[in-house]
Amino acid sequence: MNAIESYADELAAELRGPARAKARMVQEIRDGLSDTAAARVEAGLPSEEAVRDAMREFGTPAEVAPSCQRELTVAQTRHTAFALLATVPVLLGCWHLAWTIGRDQGIPPSQTAQLLATIAGTAAVVGCAALLITRRLSVPDRLPLIMAWTGTAASIAMPLTTIALATALPLADNWPLLLIIAAGTVAAHSALANSAKTCRECAEQAR
């Protein structure tokens, strides 16, 4: 059975995608190989030969990886879209609150911050569309890469928007709000940037 573990490890090294989905997929293939080999042992084959037969039936890791990667790429595309929808609306709400407070203090809204927030908001709309599209059986080949770069653009816009707000609003009067926004931005940027990076790797791997 060490050969099956080596097979599973080699397959896992070939794949990119959401950690849980990838682990579940590799485990299913490992279990399938083990069950197939066990059935051949019960039929009278020596264990080593049974394992070799099972692996020949499944194909090499390099042969199995492309179909697995396609599925993981779709899963990662959805993961990045979810990350957009979970982070951008919250930050948009925080930024809107900051602009409202700024207006009350006689400070005009930062055009730079508004432009960057529009980029992030547009990215969220693209993420929503991606979720709808990935419910189809056939996903456009370019969608994962589009989603990856959309997520990257939004993750870059997040800290820049917060910096633009922080420089426009008086820190002494607004530091609690700016601190909350900054903490949320750091968490959102990290989650989204990592997801977008993995999505880009998946898209390149699936070519």
Side-chain angles (χ1 to χ4, degrees), residues 21-114:
K22 175 181 168 180
R24 184 169 58 250
M25 182 177 290
V26 172
Q27 184 61 48
E28 287 174 357
I29 292 173
R30 181 190 287 112
D31 292 343
L33 278 170
S34 298
D35 292 343
T36 302
R40 281 163 168 68
V41 169
E42 289 181 5
L45 282 179
S47 62
E48 290 186 4
E49 186 177 348
V51 170
R52 285 197 299 269
D53 268 10
M55 288 193 291
R56 275 197 298 270
E57 181 178 327
F58 273 64
T60 66
E63 292 169 340
V64 173
S67 61
C68 294
Q69 186 60 61
R70 282 191 293 272
E71 185 176 337
L72 285 175
T73 298
V74 174
Q76 184 61 46
T77 301
R78 292 182 62 82
H79 186 280
T80 303
F82 273 122
L84 271 168
L85 295 178
T87 55
V88 171
V90 175
L91 288 179
L92 286 175
C94 291
W95 295 335
H96 178 72
L97 177 60
W99 288 323
T100 301
I101 292 174
R103 279 197 301 269
D104 292 342
Q105 295 173 347
I107 301 168
S110 166
Q111 292 185 348
T112 300
Q114 287 181 320

Side-chain angles (χ1 to χ4, degrees), residues 90-99 101 158-159 161-163 165-166 169 174-189:
V90 175
L91 288 179
L92 286 175
C94 291
W95 295 335
H96 178 72
L97 177 60
W99 288 323
I101 292 174
M158 287 174 175
T161 305
T162 299
I163 290 170
L165 282 172
L169 293 175
N174 302 286
W175 69 265
L177 174 62
L178 291 175
L179 182 61
I180 292 171
I181 294 176
T185 298
V186 170
H189 169 80

